[in-house]
Amino acid sequence: MNIVEIKDVCKTYPAFKLKDVSFSLESGKITGFIGRNGAGKTTTIKSMLNLIHTDSGEVCYFGLPLSEHETEIKQRIGYSTGTVSWYPRKTIRQIVDITKTFYKNWDEEAYRRYMTLFGIDENKKPIELSEGMKVKFNLLLALSHKAEVLILDEPTSGLDPFSRDELLELFKTLRSHGVTILFSTHITSDLEKCADNIVYISNGEIRANCTKEAFLKDHGKPGETLEEVFLRLEREVLS
Amino acid sequence: MNALLKKEMRLSASILSYLFISFAVMTLLPGYPILCGVFFITLGIFQSFQSAREANDIVFSALLPIAKRDVVKGKYLFSILIELSGVFIMAVLTLVRMTLLSDSQIYRQNALMNANPFFLGMTLLLFGVFNLIFIGGFFKTAYKFSGPFVTYIILAFLLVGVAEALHHIPGLEALNAFGFDHFGLQMLLLAGGALMFILLTWLSYNKATVSFEKIDL
């Protein structure tokens, strides 16, 4: 069952165009969203969060259009990125105390559990956190309101191999609990370990939207890894 | 709405927004253009917009389970709260000057504007102009605030200058009324100021919500 549907999303910038982007996320699966820097991954994710004004197209979660059910949908989804830090000079406790008042499903027990698991100190400020800890803090916020869909923009960028592995294991555990994950990355080796499906975007266009196995079968050569397939496809686009 | 306002007050706001409300006591300064108190209060609000931008507050808010227009609403609610806190202090001090200090020579021999209901009306008008020009201007991009703030400063000081000069024009002396002199006219001017505050803020809010829906974060 598809829990998220992105249909014909277009967005034109002076130097870049997102062209009829369509794909879906299967419930309880991890979908790897791959593409090189500037391919349109973040723009697509922003359109999925209503952070940008698209020219056309529609994004639906749980069968509901985002344009009409924004508040309701945002109660049920979570977003995490390693590239932005919110309120860098406030303590995590201050940020969480306010954030939780917006969520009907905030689970204090889950919050405490993940905080211990991630090793996050509530008295620290985001400015004092490493890139990896920032990702974990964002994930902590998403997981504590029991998000059914997690949209993760480059969540493993800047993480050491051990933390990356730890996060990938966590994603697999969340998947086993029915959480749907969109995992945008250019570190394709991470997806080898955990992705069920692959959405491949290049130059603002979706080039593939299928299971990881089908992607490797359709686009790869025998014995090629996901990373090797991705690199070869990108080189083909350039040549 | 409570959660929104609480977020603005505890996460987004600069401490200066609260501290600068105290500039409302400039109402008691003799021989000083007392409307400048409004400018300092709005400077405090400006500081909150600045610190909110540094903290990625707009994007964080847009990701919360609220409608995009509520991000705008939060900023307006916070600004109005600060402005009305300033107006409240100014109103109390104006009342003190109109009653206990109405015969004080230090205020009577003052070439500048007197603290009276007309002054309060002008205060509200200036806050309305701030909301229209600065907050409305900010939400055209949700990150550029220098242009709107400079435009507001120019307009605000022009208005302060006009308000200070008006009572020196023959026939308009009643604008500088002491105590409860010309009370009907004074209250009418206060009501006019309040009406302008509501109108400009409402116009600005509606325009800002439309602009904010269209911009990319």
Side-chain angles (χ1 to χ4, degrees):
Chain A
M1 191 188 111
N2 293 333
I3 201 160
V4 185
E5 299 265 4
I6 292 96
K7 297 173 202 161
D8 304 319
V9 169
C10 294
K11 174 72 184 171
T12 307
Y13 291 106
F16 175 75
K17 197 173 177 185
L18 207 60
K19 300 159 202 157
D20 294 315
V21 165
S22 298
F23 63 91
S24 50
L25 302 185
E26 219 178 322
S27 178
K29 302 277 184 192
I30 298 175
T31 301
F33 191 25
I34 57 170
R36 59 184 302 179
N37 293 332
K41 299 191 298 291
T42 299
T43 306
T44 304
I45 285 179
K46 282 185 171 183
S47 72
M48 292 173 70
L49 297 164
N50 197 23
L51 292 180
I52 59 168
H53 189 77
T54 53
D55 304 332
S56 59
E58 191 177 48
V59 177
C60 293
Y61 291 83
F62 320 109
L64 306 167
L66 180 64
S67 53
E68 291 166 32
H69 298 268
E70 185 176 359
T71 311
E72 188 186 335
I73 288 168
K74 283 182 180 170
Q75 286 283 354
R76 298 170 67 184
I77 66 172
Y79 167 71
S80 173
T81 177
T83 53
V84 183
S85 84
W86 318 113
Y87 309 104
R89 297 188 187 277
K90 298 283 179 188
T91 63
I92 284 168
R93 181 180 288 127
Q94 284 173 310
I95 299 171
V96 169
D97 279 350
I98 292 297
T99 306
K100 66 183 179 190
T101 61
F102 286 88
Y103 290 98
K104 290 177 195 159
N105 289 332
W106 186 268
D107 183 342
E108 195 63 24
E109 194 257 315
Y111 166 67
R112 297 278 153 206
R113 196 174 61 242
Y114 284 117
M115 201 168 58
T116 309
L117 181 73
F118 294 158
I120 292 176
D121 176 356
E122 271 190 311
N123 298 312
K124 278 198 169 180
K125 297 170 181 172
I127 199 167
E128 297 163 348
L129 300 179
S130 65
E131 292 304 305
M133 290 307 273
K134 279 181 199 165
V135 175
K136 287 180 180 176
F137 171 50
N138 287 332
L139 266 175
L140 173 70
L141 292 177
L143 296 173
S144 304
H145 73 262
K146 295 180 178 170
E148 294 161 60
V149 176
L150 285 179
I151 298 168
L152 312 173
D153 193 6
E154 312 272 2
T156 51
S157 298
L159 294 194
D160 63 75
F162 185 76
S163 299
R164 260 168 60 194
D165 207 52
E166 228 178 22
L167 266 190
L168 298 180
E169 283 307 314
L170 173 69
F171 296 159
K172 286 194 243 178
T173 309
L174 291 169
R175 174 179 60 188
S176 68
H177 292 139
V179 176
T180 306
I181 298 174
L182 177 69
F183 183 166
S184 150
T185 186
H186 52 261
I187 309 170
T188 40
S189 55
D190 288 344
L191 300 177
E192 302 265 17
K193 295 175 189 164
C194 69
D196 302 296
N197 299 323
I198 296 291
V199 174
Y200 168 46
I201 188 168
S202 178
N203 200 21
E205 280 182 85
I206 299 293
R207 308 268 170 170
N209 174 20
C210 52
T211 63
K212 187 169 69 186
E213 289 70 29
F215 181 79
L216 288 169
K217 192 178 158 209
D218 296 346
H219 301 278
K221 291 175 180 172
E224 269 189 329
T225 62
L226 191 60
E227 184 158 326
E228 285 163 342
V229 177
F230 172 56
L231 285 172
R232 189 170 41 74
L233 289 174
E234 281 301 320
R235 282 193 195 107
E236 282 169 14
V237 171
L238 283 175
S239 59
Chain B
M1 196 164 95
N2 278 347
L4 259 181
L5 194 55
K6 212 188 276 179
K7 183 199 77 70
E8 291 300 325
M9 292 176 73
R10 288 175 52 189
L11 277 186
S12 320
S14 158
I15 185 79
L16 292 179
S17 290
Y18 302 115
L19 291 176
F20 279 23
I21 295 172
S22 60
F23 278 103
V25 296
M26 287 174 82
T27 307
L28 289 176
L29 284 183
Y32 190 88
I34 53 178
L35 274 174
C36 287
V38 174
F39 170 72
F40 288 111
I41 294 170
T42 55
L43 183 62
I45 300 172
F46 169 77
Q47 294 294 333
S48 280
F49 277 78
Q50 195 170 30
S51 60
R53 191 179 74 169
E54 286 162 8
N56 293 307
D57 166 76
I58 295 285
V59 176
F60 181 83
S61 306
L63 288 168
L64 289 171
I66 54 175
K68 217 173 162 185
R69 66 177 173 278
D70 289 338
V71 177
V72 179
K73 190 192 277 178
K75 292 278 173 243
Y76 275 85
L77 283 174
F78 172 74
S79 303
I80 291 168
L81 180 79
I82 298 291
E83 289 162 359
L84 293 185
S85 304
V87 171
F88 175 75
I89 297 170
M90 286 169 160
V92 171
L93 298 177
T94 298
L95 205 61
V96 170
R97 279 185 64 168
M98 286 170 68
T99 52
L100 301 174
L101 303 171
S102 69
D103 293 325
S104 167
Q105 286 308 304
I106 204 164
Y107 293 125
R108 287 270 172 181
Q109 293 166 358
N110 175 19
L112 295 170
M113 188 182 212
N114 189 25
N116 56 25
F118 170 61
F119 155 70
L120 292 175
M122 283 304 297
T123 294
L124 285 161
L125 173 66
L126 281 168
F127 280 130
V129 168
F130 174 77
N131 295 345
L132 181 73
I133 304 294
F134 175 70
I135 308 182
F138 171 77
F139 276 110
K140 281 182 188 164
T141 58
Y143 69 93
K144 281 186 189 170
F145 49 55
S146 306
F149 196 60
V150 170
T151 312
Y152 157 70
I153 293 172
I154 294 167
L155 257 170
F157 279 99
L158 271 174
L159 274 169
V160 170
V162 169
E164 287 289 351
L166 275 178
H167 70 271
H168 293 291
I169 297 171
L172 297 179
E173 294 85 352
L175 296 180
N176 208 34
F178 285 86
F180 289 88
D181 296 347
H182 307 287
F183 193 62
L185 172 72
Q186 286 283 327
M187 290 310 286
L188 202 68
L189 292 167
L190 171 58
L195 201 68
M196 284 304 287
F197 173 76
I198 294 167
L199 186 73
L200 295 178
T201 306
W202 182 78
L203 270 176
S204 169
Y205 171 70
N206 281 306
K207 209 172 141 208
T209 51
V210 173
S211 306
F212 191 62
E213 286 289 342
K214 288 181 189 161
I215 59 173
D216 298 333
L217 296 173

